[in-house]
Amino acid sequence: MTVINKITTYLNTQTSIVPLAIFRMAFGFLMTFSMLRFIYNGWIEAAYITPTFHFTYQYFDWVQPFSTGVMYAIVIGCAIAAFFMAIGLFYRAATVFFFLSFTYLELIEKTWYLNHYYLVSLLAFLLILVPANRKFSIDILRKPGIRRAQVSNWTIFIFKLQLSVVYFFGGVAKLSSDWLLEAQPMKIWLKAKTDLPLLGGLLDVDVMPYLFSWGGIFYDLLIPFLLWSRKSRPIAYVLVLVFHLLTHVLFNIGLFPWMMIFCSLIFITEQEWRQLFKLTRKGDTFKTSAVKKTLPNGILVMLSVFFLFQFSLPLRHFIKTDNVLWTENGFRFSWQVMVMEKTGHTIFTVKDAKNNKQWKEYPSNRLTEIQETQMSFQPDMIWQYAQHLEAIFKEKGVENPEIYVDAKVALNGRRSQLFIEPSLDLTSLDDVDAVYDYIVPLKD
Amino acid sequence: MNTQQLRSLSFITLLLVASVTLFFVSCEKSGVSEEEYQTQYRREAQLINVYDNGIAPLNSLFIAETRQLEQTVVAFKNAPTIANLKASQDQWTAVLQVWKRAELYNLGDIEDSFIHFEINRWPSNTETIDGFINGNATINESFVTGNGSSSKGISAMEYLLFSGENDQATLESFTTAENANRRADYLVALSQNLIVKAEQLEQLWVDFKPTFTSALQSGLSGSQNQLANAMVTLSEQIVIKKLGTPLGEANGGEVEVQSLENYRSKNSLISIKENVIELEKVFTGSYKEQSIKSGFNDFLVNVGAVSISNDIEASFANVTSKLNAISGTLESELVNNSAGVLELQEALNELEVLIKVDMSNAIGATVTVNSNDGD
């Protein structure tokens, strides 16, 4: 049997649907909570309504917000879709709507990019492809005929693989001298938490940032393998709980720990659930050896392309830049999770050489606080903002505005230093990627 | 591994974590390590120094000066002479100087109360003020209280006391001009309202003091971080609004003397000087000769950021030298030597970056975990 045949056989082998159904519920309920929290915190206004200018993603400039009422409707719709997904009601439609609406919301504003929001979009897309509503759902009450005890391995495998990608490349991202030798940014972050009751005293010990850094990288690189293995899975899930609860307590990283705790449930088999709760099997039975051809070639090709991107995107920065933390060229979509503490300060100068005039543009005058903060140390956003200023000044009657930036950035405990060549006229760059050629190399 | 083994393993893991934690906790004072205890002790000393030797005396002085101002403008209303006008102008300048020192301390409950706006919002809405004077409503302190912040406070008083091209013209606005009496009434009412606000400010700080001096945590809600952020806010205001706009940064490069904060009284330089003096005092903790000098500089040295502390002290010296290099008023310097004003702004911008980026990083004031990671 060839390797391809073995893989195909494995992917089509029938297995219990329980992990997939539990994953669907966990993910759906968490997303429902996430969207309600988004509304409650006033983030619809902060992210989509208040900004007069949006930092859009490359090739997605056409994605823009609608009016306040429509944006509320979309977010509420997204929350309802997540809830329907969780309870398994109109599953396919709910999942498609959730994926489209959530991804649309994320594409509007780049300064609100979060690694785990990106993960949500990916997982939602994968959920569209699988029959996760065939157990523990309202849909099987509506249509008892769709009830299934088994699904093909691939329907669970793709989620396990996606989560493994997050962990593993999250570990690869930490293979840097800052992380391993300087224990940064852990030194900064833990120092800010030494006032915590009980745990604070522990964090004050000099060796702790190193323990956290090295512990973190070992966790990220090893946990996927430990979760895949049946023997090590119990200890692996305990580690998942301890690690993410600790990150929840120590760092203000919102839903990320809960995402990973909930989503990692996909690794737990039906047999393990039964052992855990001392349940005996009733009704549904399955033979794990049974093989059914359920992975259509079209889906197979699509998933192959999907995971090809998943394996290559996190590595692209090795080709693009020698220091992804400083330049951020290839930083997004590559699971660079909790790897830096970065602060910046920018002032733009607009020149009209023809009329010998000059303006200063302070970002705080036109951007929201989060936009200004994020833009101050991300070159592509600095270029985008310069484009925006160019349009504003052209509208004001300045034919050929030249735009320069005075940008100072501090990374992982270093002193602030010049970030972008101050002599660069940002309007002379037609393409965002060109701005990376003008980043001043990091000192120290 | 069966369920029993899984449970045993979980229990052992939790027991291990708890034991290690308890081991370290047992070596601590009040649940924090010796180092954290020392850090919080220094932080508390700094905050008490700021309040006892900086904020509280300024609040008292501000009340005293505003009371004096009210007496002076009442005397001027009763006897509108050049001498009394000048006395009122001088006393208004004394109030301004104290306020420009107190302006830095806009944080916590004080910031939430918007009282700083009530005391000095600039520029004033002169059309509204003239509308009140030319209207029929009874003018008194409660009338001023009910009005918006852009028609009251220090800036509104400046408009009335320095409205003419010269003192004689200003005097005539209180004597022979239409509604001259109502103008004087409005001036008095403004001064009375300022006393009320000064007293409210002091009370707000008295109430907030326990919170301010006990919020010793490192996070964003800690008082030290709020103080650092207040320093950033003020230095940014000076760079952008108090100097940038007058330098013509918003109009293509033409200087705008009328955009200076105190262009009517020609006290804009004094305002900025007082702001910078107080910024430096907070940084060094040097409020009095005899007091404990616990400031950000000591804190930076303690966390090993000696070079940042030295650079900020050098930056303050640079800003001060640029301020002192302006021999006349900022209003005249802006017209005759805008390059000198630009140098001052650049020096202040360097100071702002050092405080906002370097100092804040070193003391943990900006620690938010990179936003790509969470919320």
Side-chain angles (χ1 to χ4, degrees):
Chain A
M1 190 183 273
T2 64
V3 174
I4 290 177
N5 280 342
K6 280 182 180 174
I7 292 171
T8 310
T9 304
Y10 170 76
L11 293 177
N12 285 308
T13 300
Q14 297 296 291
T15 186
S16 166
I17 192 175
V18 168
L20 186 61
I22 288 177
F23 174 81
R24 185 206 79 226
M25 291 188 288
F27 181 74
F29 284 124
L30 188 65
M31 286 306 101
T32 309
F33 172 75
S34 171
M35 299 318 293
L36 294 177
R37 178 172 171 260
F38 203 87
I39 299 167
Y40 176 79
N41 285 338
W43 290 343
I44 294 179
E45 282 84 358
Y48 311 126
I49 310 302
T50 308
T52 54
F53 164 73
H54 287 285
F55 288 93
T56 51
Y57 288 88
Q58 197 174 9
Y59 313 122
F60 288 92
D61 296 344
W62 49 275
V63 179
Q64 292 292 330
F66 295 101
S67 65
T68 307
V70 176
M71 293 312 295
Y72 263 92
I74 291 172
V75 178
I76 291 168
C78 192
I80 293 170
F83 182 69
F84 277 26
M85 194 162 62
I87 62 172
L89 178 60
F90 306 121
Y91 169 75
R92 194 76 69 186
T95 313
V96 169
F97 184 83
F98 177 79
F99 166 70
L100 291 176
S101 57
F102 190 91
T103 306
Y104 160 72
L105 293 169
E106 291 319 299
L107 285 175
I108 293 172
E109 180 58 56
K110 195 160 54 177
T111 55
W112 282 66
Y113 169 82
L114 292 175
N115 284 304
H116 59 272
Y117 283 178
Y118 169 49
L119 178 60
V120 168
S121 280
L122 297 176
L123 294 176
F125 172 73
L126 294 177
L127 273 169
I128 295 172
L129 309 177
V130 298
N133 61 330
R134 305 291 179 98
K135 193 170 182 68
F136 304 145
S137 75
I138 307 290
D139 280 342
I140 58 173
L141 299 178
R142 291 170 53 238
K143 297 178 185 173
I146 66 166
R147 192 164 191 262
R148 294 282 183 277
Q150 303 167 41
V151 284
S152 297
N153 254 338
W154 71 266
T155 62
I156 294 172
F157 172 83
I158 55 176
F159 294 100
K160 289 181 178 177
L161 187 59
Q162 180 57 62
L163 291 172
S164 301
V165 163
V166 175
Y167 276 126
F168 183 75
F169 287 108
V172 171
K174 293 176 177 69
L175 292 168
S176 70
S177 59
D178 273 13
W179 186 271
L180 297 172
L181 304 181
E182 304 296 331
Q184 290 285 20
M186 278 299 157
K187 272 184 191 167
I188 300 172
W189 292 346
L190 295 185
K191 194 77 188 166
K193 290 288 180 181
T194 51
D195 53 341
L196 276 179
L198 299 178
L199 209 54
L202 199 65
L203 305 179
D204 226 354
V205 181
D206 288 344
V207 75
M208 287 313 283
Y210 290 92
L211 284 179
F212 270 76
S213 294
W214 284 83
I217 196 170
F218 274 113
Y219 173 84
D220 280 351
L221 290 173
L222 295 179
I223 199 70
F225 299 104
L226 297 176
L227 283 168
W228 278 92
S229 163
R230 188 176 56 81
K231 281 186 177 176
S232 57
R233 197 172 299 133
I235 181 66
Y237 200 77
V238 171
L239 283 174
V240 167
L241 284 173
V242 171
F243 181 84
H244 288 297
L245 289 176
L246 201 60
T247 59
H248 169 72
V249 171
L250 291 177
F251 312 117
N252 177 30
I253 51 174
L255 284 181
F256 183 71
W258 305 109
M259 273 282 294
M260 300 314 282
I261 288 172
F262 279 44
C263 291
S264 296
L265 294 173
I266 190 81
F267 286 93
I268 300 176
T269 63
E270 182 187 356
Q271 191 184 14
E272 286 162 341
W273 281 114
R274 289 186 180 280
Q275 281 178 347
L276 199 60
F277 294 104
K278 295 187 186 305
L279 299 174
T280 52
R281 186 181 300 284
K282 287 178 192 169
D284 299 336
T285 55
F286 65 90
K287 290 177 183 174
T288 52
S289 58
V291 177
K292 255 193 215 172
K293 176 80 169 104
T294 62
L295 179 56
N297 287 339
I299 300 273
L300 178 64
V301 171
M302 187 165 66
L303 287 173
S304 301
V305 173
F306 178 92
F307 281 108
L308 188 65
F309 270 101
Q310 285 305 307
F311 282 108
S312 50
L313 280 179
L315 299 174
R316 73 192 191 284
H317 67 82
F318 287 113
I319 300 168
K320 287 168 167 270
T321 179
D322 58 354
N323 189 340
V324 67
L325 301 186
W326 181 243
T327 65
E328 301 210 22
N329 194 359
F331 186 88
R332 280 179 225 110
F333 314 116
S334 60
W335 312 116
Q336 301 276 342
V337 184
M338 297 187 69
V339 287
M340 66 180 186
E341 175 65 28
K342 209 172 179 186
T343 320
H345 178 80
T346 52
I347 299 175
F348 291 80
T349 301
V350 183
K351 289 183 179 173
D352 178 4
K354 188 180 169 188
N355 296 305
N356 198 26
K357 285 190 165 189
Q358 183 171 304
W359 295 261
K360 277 275 167 68
E361 277 289 336
Y362 299 95
S364 58
N365 290 340
R366 298 181 191 274
L367 299 177
T368 63
E369 198 176 336
I370 190 170
Q371 284 183 313
E372 184 193 359
T373 304
Q374 291 295 313
M375 185 268 287
S376 68
F377 53 77
Q378 301 191 52
D380 58 337
M381 294 190 199
I382 289 174
W383 177 82
Q384 272 182 294
Y385 189 59
Q387 298 288 304
H388 177 56
L389 290 176
E390 184 184 15
I392 288 172
F393 278 84
K394 278 187 171 172
E395 206 168 294
K396 276 186 179 177
V398 180
E399 274 180 41
N400 293 303
E402 299 167 13
I403 298 178
Y404 305 86
V405 67
D406 175 20
K408 304 265 172 48
V409 173
L411 171 67
N412 281 348
R414 294 176 182 83
R415 295 289 302 274
S416 63
Q417 46 192 288
L418 199 61
F419 189 47
I420 290 185
E421 288 288 350
S423 59
L424 168 69
D425 173 10
L426 287 157
T427 64
S428 67
L429 308 178
D430 294 328
D431 184 58
V432 64
D433 292 325
V435 74
Y436 296 106
D437 296 333
Y438 295 89
I439 295 175
V440 179
L442 178 68
K443 292 179 202 161
D444 302 331
Chain B
M1 189 175 284
N2 61 31
T3 310
Q4 192 57 45
Q5 286 171 311
L6 174 67
R7 284 180 180 160
S8 303
L9 193 61
S10 309
F11 180 72
I12 290 165
T13 308
L14 291 172
L15 199 66
L16 194 67
V17 171
S19 304
V20 173
T21 307
L22 281 173
F23 169 76
F24 283 99
V25 169
S26 64
C27 312
E28 299 162 7
K29 292 179 182 178
S30 310
V32 295
S33 67
E34 177 65 29
E35 195 176 330
E36 175 63 15
Y37 179 81
Q38 292 297 333
T39 302
Q40 294 198 0
Y41 178 79
R42 278 189 292 275
R43 208 175 266 151
E44 187 178 27
Q46 183 195 3
L47 296 170
I48 289 172
N49 183 33
V50 168
Y51 183 83
D52 287 350
N53 300 311
I55 295 167
L58 275 174
N59 286 343
S60 299
L61 185 60
F62 190 53
I63 291 172
E65 296 290 1
T66 53
R67 284 179 181 158
Q68 183 62 43
L69 178 61
E70 192 243 3
Q71 289 178 18
T72 317
V73 296
V74 167
F76 171 61
K77 179 180 180 296
N78 294 333
T81 63
I82 284 287
N84 282 342
L85 173 64
K86 287 195 77 68
S88 297
Q89 289 173 336
D90 290 346
Q91 185 54 34
W92 175 87
T93 303
V95 168
L96 176 75
Q97 283 185 271
V98 180
W99 176 248
K100 287 297 145 186
R101 304 269 286 277
E103 193 174 29
L104 169 60
Y105 305 109
N106 191 21
L107 50 94
D109 288 355
I110 286 72
E111 187 181 16
D112 294 342
S113 73
F114 297 103
I115 195 164
H116 277 230
F117 270 122
E118 298 271 315
I119 291 171
N120 185 41
R121 182 173 180 178
W122 68 281
S124 285
N125 189 333
T126 56
E127 284 182 16
T128 304
I129 294 170
D130 287 337
F132 290 148
I133 291 169
N134 298 324
N136 299 316
T138 304
I139 293 176
N140 52 28
E141 196 277 320
S142 60
F143 173 73
V144 171
T145 298
N147 295 332
S149 56
S150 63
S151 60
K152 62 173 110 168
I154 295 171
S155 182
M157 290 193 75
E158 181 182 26
Y159 167 61
L160 297 180
L161 286 169
F162 299 89
S163 60
E165 285 187 7
N166 51 46
D167 289 345
Q168 185 58 41
T170 303
L171 181 64
E172 284 167 9
S173 72
F174 288 99
T175 53
T176 57
E178 194 179 353
N179 293 317
N181 282 341
R182 285 179 63 82
R183 181 169 287 260
D185 288 342
Y186 198 76
L187 181 68
V188 171
L190 286 175
S191 69
Q192 290 166 343
N193 180 253
L194 206 51
I195 295 171
V196 173
K197 294 299 165 191
E199 289 169 347
Q200 284 177 358
L201 178 67
E202 185 178 53
Q203 191 56 49
L204 278 168
W205 266 112
V206 167
D207 295 341
F208 185 56
K209 182 194 172 184
T211 307
F212 177 70
T213 54
S214 63
L216 306 176
Q217 63 270 32
S218 314
L220 291 170
S221 58
S223 291
Q224 191 187 52
N225 291 347
Q226 289 191 27
L227 203 55
N229 288 332
M231 291 175 77
V232 171
T233 302
L234 182 60
S235 51
E236 197 166 75
Q237 275 177 6
I238 302 172
V239 169
I240 298 176
K241 201 175 171 192
K242 298 187 181 190
L243 290 172
T245 309
L247 276 164
E249 289 181 344
N251 68 13
E254 285 179 37
V255 296
E256 287 179 11
V257 177
Q258 294 192 344
S259 293
L260 285 166
E261 182 176 5
N262 303 110
Y263 80 95
R264 288 193 171 89
S265 63
K266 298 188 171 41
N267 276 322
S268 301
L269 186 62
I270 291 171
S271 286
I272 293 172
K273 273 185 177 174
E274 297 296 340
N275 281 164
V276 171
I277 286 169
E278 202 62 22
L279 280 168
E280 191 167 11
K281 281 186 175 180
V282 169
F283 181 71
T284 61
S286 304
Y287 289 99
K288 285 184 194 172
E289 283 302 316
Q290 301 300 321
S291 71
I292 304 164
K293 293 176 181 173
S294 180
F296 279 107
N297 56 349
D298 301 306
F299 208 85
L300 284 168
V301 169
N302 194 259
V303 296
V306 181
S307 66
I308 295 175
S309 178
N310 291 341
D311 285 356
I312 293 177
E313 283 183 16
S315 185
F316 269 116
N318 186 34
V319 169
T320 305
S321 79
K322 301 291 180 201
L323 280 165
N324 292 337
I326 298 172
S327 52
T329 65
L330 192 56
E331 287 71 21
S332 62
E333 189 80 354
L334 196 62
V335 176
N336 302 322
N337 179 27
S338 63
V341 181
L342 190 62
E343 281 181 26
L344 170 63
Q345 189 206 29
E346 284 168 356
L348 276 157
N349 189 47
E350 279 177 27
L351 177 65
E352 184 200 334
V353 173
L354 282 167
I355 297 171
K356 181 179 175 180
V357 182
D358 297 284
M359 185 181 94
S360 297
N361 255 342
I363 66 167
T366 57
V367 172
T368 52
V369 178
N370 188 278
S371 300
N372 290 147
D373 298 320
D375 219 320

